[in-house]
Amino acid sequence: VMSIEYKIAPSQMAAEYIELRGQTRENSITPDTLRSYGITAESWAKDIESGQIRGYISLSGTHMVGYCFGDLKTGEVIVLAVLPSHECQGIGKRLLALIVEVLKDYGYIRLFLGCSPDPKVRSYGFYRHLGWQSTGALETHGDEILEFACG
């Protein structure tokens, strides 16, 4: 098993973030769907460069296998994505912890994210197991809003 390295996500890799998002096993989103939400490689790179969002990537050798991004303006964990080949190795948990720390250092005491409301979807149990709790609210795309007290 090759060791996994974690690094701050550079804006130059935005096109690769979009590509990886379409390769996840559950909740994959195609580049076209992301574009319909207003998310392109250009907008993603711009959000990183402006300081609106910050992320971490996980690398196996030179190959990116996952990432997580948080919104420094709102305290939202925007996205956590790990390739199917690297699931169940603690990578998602580590990436999420890195972003929770970033947002906590930014002064947030409550974080939030959107997650599938379907208990059969892996992320449903994943976040709850780590202490995230349902707010009972749904966001525009039908995801349930979970929150996490980190203060």
Side-chain angles (χ1 to χ4, degrees), residues 93-110:
K93 187 176 172 179
R94 178 82 182 111
L95 286 166
L96 181 63
L98 287 165
I99 292 305
V100 165
E101 277 310 304
V102 166
L103 293 170
K104 209 164 122 173
D105 290 349
Y106 231 71
Y108 288 100
I109 56 171
R110 292 198 88 63

Side-chain angles (χ1 to χ4, degrees), residues 76-115:
E76 177 181 12
V77 174
I78 309 168
V79 61
L80 171 60
V82 176
L83 288 176
S85 58
H86 286 75
E87 288 175 353
C88 302
Q89 296 176 29
I91 295 170
K93 187 176 172 179
R94 178 82 182 111
L95 286 166
L96 181 63
L98 287 165
I99 292 305
V100 165
E101 277 310 304
V102 166
L103 293 170
K104 209 164 122 173
D105 290 349
Y106 231 71
Y108 288 100
I109 56 171
R110 292 198 88 63
L111 308 180
F112 69 100
L113 57 79
C115 175

